[in-house]
Amino acid sequence: AQSVTQPDIHITVSEGASLELRCNYSYGATPYLFWYVQSPGQGLQLLLKYFSGDTLVQGIKGFEAEFKRSQSSFNLRKPSVHWSDAAEYFCASGAGSYQLTFGKGTKLSVIP
Amino acid sequence: DTGVSQDPRHKITKRGQNVTFRCDPISEHNRLYWYRQTLGQGPEFLTYFQNEAQLEKSRLLSDRFSAERPKGSFSTLEIQRTEQGDSAMYLCASSGPGHQPYNEQFFGPGTRLTVL
């Protein structure tokens, strides 16, 4: 069975600093990979996705992620964090099926 | 397009009662999904529909849970004889009209269930 691991439960960064959220997946073939963001009281919003092609994926709100097959990773990055980025971030994978497997999430706090 | 909507947003019930939640997907979407999210966890897949057909069910979906999508439009998720362990956020998502599994799933705001 596939699984998704987000090693960091909570990360705190200063506004303007760079950000990297880690995600590792467990699946034999190349899965479909997604990053979602969830703000309090809001639904999950897709930031970006990877399913084939260029391993560096650009998303909304200035986020990007890089798929590294050798490391089974799909880390999310942003060069300069804004206070409005404070939220919970979920990495998810699909493996040819329509159901998504989510990680446990990383809560991001931003210090002004 | 108003996005995926869910009703109610909050539900408090007593153990043993039945509850029903409704999800209205984005109108042109043919796939509809239900997930459950407990505190400190990511969403967990429960079931999904393609049009009115329920194609996949998780083992998390015990026989107390039933989901329907009559006419391939809105969906309902019913929990019978609720237990305290059912307390969670129930999320609905939809995707389509394409047929690729990597199509974006658009999520609703969720229904938060509290079982006393």
Side-chain angles (χ1 to χ4, degrees):
Chain A
Q2 60 175 313
S3 66
V4 175
T5 302
Q6 293 181 249
D8 304 304
I9 297 173
H10 190 186
I11 284 182
T12 301
V13 299
S14 298
E15 192 169 16
S18 63
L19 172 70
E20 182 169 27
L21 302 182
R22 296 182 292 165
C23 172
N24 293 95
Y25 67 90
S26 167
Y27 181 62
T30 300
Y32 309 126
L33 295 162
F34 308 82
W35 274 100
Y36 281 86
V37 60
Q38 186 177 38
S39 299
Q42 304 293 317
L44 290 152
Q45 182 184 22
L46 182 69
L47 291 174
L48 46 78
K49 66 180 180 183
Y50 171 81
F51 56 94
S52 69
D54 193 346
T55 57
L56 185 62
V57 180
Q58 301 298 320
I60 63 171
K61 304 184 179 185
F63 286 93
E64 66 177 26
E66 187 170 11
F67 170 65
K68 292 186 177 180
R69 185 190 306 275
S70 61
Q71 298 177 19
S72 298
S73 70
F74 188 57
N75 294 350
L76 182 71
R77 300 193 294 249
K78 187 170 185 178
S80 178
V81 170
H82 188 261
W83 64 266
S84 61
D85 293 324
E88 190 150 23
Y89 292 79
F90 292 94
C91 182
S93 75
S97 165
Y98 291 94
Q99 64 171 282
L100 296 181
T101 298
F102 284 83
K104 293 187 176 182
T106 297
K107 183 177 180 180
L108 174 66
S109 297
V110 180
I111 300 173
Chain B
D1 182 359
T2 57
V4 178
S5 61
Q6 294 187 245
D7 184 68
R9 295 290 303 274
H10 303 273
K11 178 71 177 178
I12 300 173
T13 191
K14 293 182 179 179
R15 184 166 51 93
Q17 298 295 303
N18 299 343
V19 294
T20 300
F21 310 140
R22 176 179 171 124
C23 171
D24 287 272
I26 294 171
S27 58
E28 65 267 27
H29 285 180
N30 57 351
R31 289 189 175 78
L32 185 147
Y33 312 79
W34 286 99
Y35 291 83
R36 181 176 70 185
Q37 185 177 21
T38 53
L39 201 61
Q41 302 293 319
E44 296 173 292
F45 172 80
L46 293 178
T47 188
Y48 97 91
F49 293 82
Q50 179 171 312
N51 299 315
E52 66 277 7
Q54 188 174 17
L55 296 187
E56 208 167 329
K57 291 169 61 173
S58 163
R59 56 182 172 79
L60 293 175
L61 213 65
S62 76
D63 56 5
R64 295 185 298 106
F65 288 69
S66 62
E68 295 182 340
R69 194 184 181 197
K71 303 179 183 177
S73 56
F74 70 92
S75 176
T76 58
L77 178 68
E78 181 184 15
I79 309 174
Q80 296 182 327
R81 306 180 303 280
T82 52
E83 302 172 356
Q84 288 184 326
D86 297 330
S87 295
M89 177 77 85
Y90 290 84
L91 298 169
C92 177
S94 68
S95 70
H99 298 285
Q100 299 302 327
Y102 50 75
N103 284 352
E104 177 179 354
Q105 294 183 20
F106 291 81
F107 283 80
T111 294
R112 181 168 295 284
L113 172 66
T114 302
V115 181
L116 302 177

